[in-house]
């Protein structure tokens, strides 16, 4: 026997809401779907997840997510009071609700899915998954990349900025001590540090080591001290993004209090240029 699907038993009015991220540009995407049924129940679903917004707008993704949160709250409140979007005023400019139409389906979710599928190309879009662990590059690897980049920028003159083997020798009380200091000129000492580590606590540990070596190498202010940090790229949306950024901000605050020079860059080329400019 042929089994026919059940007839729709649920009816509701629904609409999609356009969003114009750049006011006046005419560029619009479907941001949400709103539904109200005969019982007075109201549903609103956002079609743009925070992960998708971070891909679309990068550093502005969190701001965009905040606007869409205001939109959803405003739509729900109006639908519960009025049962329709007629007379609805958006909480901020750039949102445009289309007239509500009647739809039939098995459930509210069924109708929401229908409307979203008809009007949104980003419906069910998924942002690329972020690795749970940050990629790792050791201090030694980053320093070699930076030195190679410095040679490409400054030629053989760049080698005068870097110490042989990344080590300097200090004599204290007749005893020789070796410090991990990859940058040294007649007036300046500096260190290059990687922030490409699996956990934020590892970044903190390597910073404390670099700070300790610089403090000794500076010889009580005889040399100006500087720290150059290689920052991981592509952190947006990573679970450790905020922790890493907070640690870098804290390092900047600590070093500025002690008069140290600090630069943070994402590429070996930009870090090498900063080192050459500082050491000149």
């Amino acid at each position: 026997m042929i089994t026919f699907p059940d007839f729709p038993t649920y009816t509701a009015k629904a609409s999609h809401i356009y969003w114009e991220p750049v006011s006046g540009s005419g560029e619009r995407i479907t941001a949400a779907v709103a539904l109200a049924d005969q019982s007075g129940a109201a549903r609103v679903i956002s079609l743009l997840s925070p992960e998708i917004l971070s891909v679309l707008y990068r550093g502005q993704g969190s701001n965009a997510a905040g606007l869409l949160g205001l939109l959803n709250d405003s739509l729900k409140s109006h639908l519960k009071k009025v049962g329709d979007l007629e007379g609805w005023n958006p909480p901020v400019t750039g949102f445009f609700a289309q007239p509500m139409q009647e739809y039939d389906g098995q459930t509210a979710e069924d109708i929401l899915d229908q409307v979203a599928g008809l009007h949104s190309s980003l419906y069910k879009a998924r942002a690329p998954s972020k690795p749970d662990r940050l990629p790792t590059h050791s201090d030694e690897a980053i320093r070699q990349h930076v030195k190679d980049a410095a040679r490409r920028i400054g030629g053989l003159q760049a080698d005068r900025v870097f110490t042989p083997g990344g080590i300097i020798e200090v004599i204290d009380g007749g005893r020789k001590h070796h410090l991990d200091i990859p940058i040294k000129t007649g007036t300046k000492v500096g260190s290059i540090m990687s922030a490409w580590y699996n956990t934020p606590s590892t970044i903190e540990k390597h910073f404390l080591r670099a700070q300790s070596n610089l403090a000794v190498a500076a010889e009580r202010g005889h040399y100006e001290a500087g720290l150059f940090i290689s920052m991981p790229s592509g952190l947006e949306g990573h679970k450790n993004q905020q922790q890493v950024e907070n640690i870098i901000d804290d390092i900047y605050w600590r070093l500025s209090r002690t008069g140290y020079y600090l630069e943070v860059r994402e590429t070996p080329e930009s870090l090498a240029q900063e080192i050459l400019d500082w050491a000149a």
Side-chain angles (χ1 to χ4, degrees):
M1 295 179 62
I2 299 176
T3 302
F4 291 96
D6 295 333
F7 285 107
T9 57
Y10 181 81
T11 300
K13 293 188 296 183
S15 171
H16 58 287
I17 291 82
Y18 287 129
W19 178 34
E20 190 175 78
V22 181
S23 181
S25 68
E27 178 190 40
R28 298 182 180 185
I29 56 179
T30 305
V33 172
L35 174 149
D37 64 18
Q38 295 176 343
S39 70
R43 293 282 302 279
V44 177
I45 60 169
S46 176
L47 304 180
L48 302 170
S49 68
E51 292 76 20
I52 288 295
L53 291 171
S54 70
V55 172
L56 292 174
Y57 303 113
R58 295 180 65 81
Q60 298 299 316
S62 59
N63 293 337
L67 291 179
L68 295 184
L70 291 174
L71 168 72
N72 288 9
D73 291 342
S74 176
L75 287 169
K76 289 177 184 177
S77 177
H78 186 86
L79 284 174
K80 289 178 180 179
K81 293 178 182 177
V82 181
D84 195 285
L85 288 182
E86 185 176 354
W88 173 71
N89 291 313
V92 292
T93 59
F95 293 106
F96 308 89
Q98 304 308 294
M100 299 192 83
Q101 300 180 22
E102 286 198 356
Y103 291 85
D104 295 324
Q106 300 299 333
T107 62
E109 287 74 16
D110 182 24
I111 291 177
L112 291 168
D113 189 74
Q114 288 181 50
V115 179
L118 286 170
H119 298 285
S120 174
S121 63
L122 293 174
Y123 179 49
K124 296 185 179 179
R126 295 292 180 268
S129 59
K130 292 285 184 179
D132 289 337
R133 296 167 66 85
L134 288 173
T136 299
H137 298 292
S138 67
D139 285 347
E140 291 74 17
I142 290 295
R143 289 172 183 178
Q144 189 59 55
H145 291 321
V146 171
K147 288 173 69 175
D148 291 343
R151 291 190 184 103
R152 291 193 295 270
I153 295 170
L156 295 178
Q157 296 293 325
D159 285 339
R160 298 180 181 179
V161 174
F162 298 96
T163 58
I167 299 294
I168 67 170
E169 185 178 277
V170 175
I171 299 177
D172 183 29
R175 296 185 58 185
K176 293 181 179 180
H177 302 273
H178 295 91
L179 299 178
D180 184 14
I181 296 292
I183 304 167
K184 188 175 187 298
T185 69
T187 59
K188 298 177 180 180
V189 290
S191 189
I192 303 170
M193 184 190 117
S194 171
W196 295 74
Y197 289 105
N198 289 328
T199 61
S201 61
T202 310
I203 301 173
E204 176 77 10
K205 181 179 70 176
H206 280 251
F207 161 67
L208 293 175
R209 182 184 303 165
Q211 184 185 35
S212 175
N213 285 332
L214 284 172
V216 176
E219 296 182 10
R220 297 183 180 179
H222 180 70
Y223 291 91
E224 180 184 346
L227 179 61
F228 299 85
I229 301 177
S230 176
M231 182 79 166
S233 58
L235 270 179
E236 293 83 2
H238 194 283
K239 69 174 185 177
N240 287 337
Q241 176 185 2
Q242 194 61 55
Q243 284 181 280
V244 172
E245 291 177 350
N246 288 344
I247 286 176
I248 299 300
D249 287 343
D250 184 63
I251 289 174
Y252 182 86
W253 176 79
R254 285 195 242 175
L255 292 188
S256 65
R257 297 278 292 180
T258 57
Y260 283 25
Y261 184 87
L262 175 68
E263 289 289 350
V264 181
R265 295 291 184 270
E266 289 188 357
T267 66
E269 290 74 19
S270 59
L271 206 59
Q273 187 64 65
E274 293 295 340
I275 290 171
L276 293 176
D277 291 345
W278 175 73

